[in-house]
């Protein structure tokens, strides 16, 4: 697939298990963070966001945790499904809606 | 009823040519963006327009010229294409500039320069 040759961190999980994808961000003044999912041949798709005045936000099967002390963001996916296989990006808002994206993590779900 | 659309999806051209990519959004957003994604999947902002006015220009060569005829459209014209311009270009839009709003991305245009 498209991930062949990519040297991104890869997380392989068994279908039904929980997945945790981590991200370190750079700017302590960033006030808004987003997780995107990118499937092969498609554009990044919004999953969940969190503002800096929160440390946890939950969506459907997904949870984002924000640790401002160590500038760390994580995305938890519950009961991972084959359709969750994709590249996941965190992004931080550097101000004025300028998003800076992380390098991406490949999630592979084994059936 | 696609929210953010781009044309063409694929573009293959020779070095030195001039090409354009078009983007349209029907979300009623004020702000639109162009991003470049390289072969390592690294996604970087190039430009941002708010209601037809340029607000972000990330040190992109002046061979790249965005044009916004109205707030629903943001086109990208590239002059004198180089091999290093080969990438996937994504258009995005958000409700307004200067606020932390979600950006919605188009499907991308894969540009290959030979």
């Amino acid at each position: 697939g498209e991930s062949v040759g990519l040297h991104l961190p890869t997380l392989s999980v068994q279908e039904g298990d929980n997945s945790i994808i981590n991200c370190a961000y750079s700017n302590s003044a960033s006030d808004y963070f987003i997780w995107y999912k990118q499937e092969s041949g498609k554009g990044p798709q919004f999953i969940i966001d969190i503002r800096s005045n929160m440390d946890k936000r939950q969506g459907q099967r997904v949870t984002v945790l924000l640790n401002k002390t160590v500038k760390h963001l994580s995305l938890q996916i519950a009961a991972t499904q084959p359709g969750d296989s994709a590249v996941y990006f965190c992004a931080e808002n550097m101000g004025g809606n300028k998003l800076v994206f992380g390098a991406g993590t490949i999630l592979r779900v084994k059936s | 009823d696609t929210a953010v659309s781009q044309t063409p999806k694929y573009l293959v051209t020779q070095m030195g040519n001039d090409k354009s990519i078009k983007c349209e959004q029907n979300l009623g957003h004020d702000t639109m963006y162009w991003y470049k994604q390289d072969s390592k999947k690294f996604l970087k902002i190039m430009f941002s327009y708010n209601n037809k006015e340029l607000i972000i220009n990330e040190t992109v060569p002046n061979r790249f010229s965005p044009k916004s005829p109205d707030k629903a459209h943001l086109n990208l014209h590239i002059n004198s294409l180089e091999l290093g311009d080969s990438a996937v270009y994504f258009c995005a839009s958000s409700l307004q500039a200067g606020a932390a709003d979600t950006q919605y991305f188009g499907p991308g245009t894969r540009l290959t320069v030979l």
Side-chain angles (χ1 to χ4, degrees):
Chain A
E2 205 172 275
S3 62
V4 172
L6 278 178
H7 296 290
L8 296 177
T10 300
L11 176 65
S12 292
V13 299
Q14 200 65 37
E15 182 179 357
D17 286 353
N18 296 335
S19 303
I20 300 177
I21 300 172
N22 296 304
C23 174
Y25 64 92
S26 60
N27 187 353
S28 55
S30 292
D31 60 358
Y32 180 58
F33 305 87
I34 311 176
W35 279 100
Y36 284 92
K37 171 187 180 185
Q38 187 177 21
E39 296 174 277
S40 183
K42 296 185 179 178
Q45 176 191 355
F46 171 83
I47 304 174
I48 191 167
D49 58 4
I50 189 167
R51 299 191 186 270
S52 58
N53 60 354
M54 303 172 72
D55 52 24
K56 180 179 179 178
R57 190 156 188 238
Q58 286 185 281
Q60 191 177 23
R61 278 202 311 121
V62 293
T63 301
V64 55
L65 298 177
L66 174 63
N67 185 332
K68 293 183 286 292
T69 304
V70 295
K71 292 190 286 187
H72 183 267
L73 202 60
S74 69
L75 176 70
Q76 300 177 2
I77 305 174
T80 314
Q81 302 166 1
D84 295 328
S85 293
V87 179
Y88 287 80
F89 293 95
C90 65
E92 61 180 305
N93 182 9
M94 305 284 266
N97 226 8
K98 178 184 167 184
L99 284 186
V100 173
F101 281 76
T105 297
I106 299 170
L107 176 64
R108 288 206 181 99
V109 183
K110 298 175 284 189
S111 299
Chain B
D1 60 347
T2 306
V4 183
S5 58
Q6 297 178 228
T7 54
K9 186 159 175 66
Y10 300 97
L11 186 52
V12 181
T13 188
Q14 299 284 337
M15 257 193 333
N17 283 350
D18 304 338
K19 290 293 178 187
S20 292
I21 309 171
K22 294 178 187 284
C23 178
E24 177 181 2
Q25 54 92 6
N26 62 6
L27 297 166
H29 288 168
D30 280 351
T31 310
M32 295 184 72
Y33 312 80
W34 278 110
Y35 285 83
K36 179 179 180 180
Q37 188 172 48
D38 63 20
S39 58
K40 293 181 172 58
K41 290 286 193 183
F42 184 64
L43 198 59
K44 190 175 189 317
I45 190 165
M46 300 170 69
F47 299 102
S48 172
Y49 267 73
N50 183 61
N51 206 1
K52 302 194 295 174
E53 183 182 336
L54 179 68
I55 54 171
I56 295 176
N57 182 342
E58 283 292 299
T59 327
V60 177
N62 58 15
R63 297 183 295 106
F64 290 78
S65 49
K67 285 189 173 46
S68 182
D70 55 63
K71 72 174 192 177
H73 295 84
L74 181 62
N75 303 324
L76 184 65
H77 187 77
I78 316 170
N79 288 329
S80 304
L81 278 154
E82 300 177 357
L83 293 177
D85 297 332
S86 295
V88 182
Y89 292 84
F90 288 100
C91 177
S93 74
S94 67
L95 193 58
Q96 56 186 311
D101 288 328
T102 303
Q103 293 183 24
Y104 296 91
F105 283 77
T109 296
R110 183 176 289 276
L111 171 66
T112 304
V113 183
L114 303 174

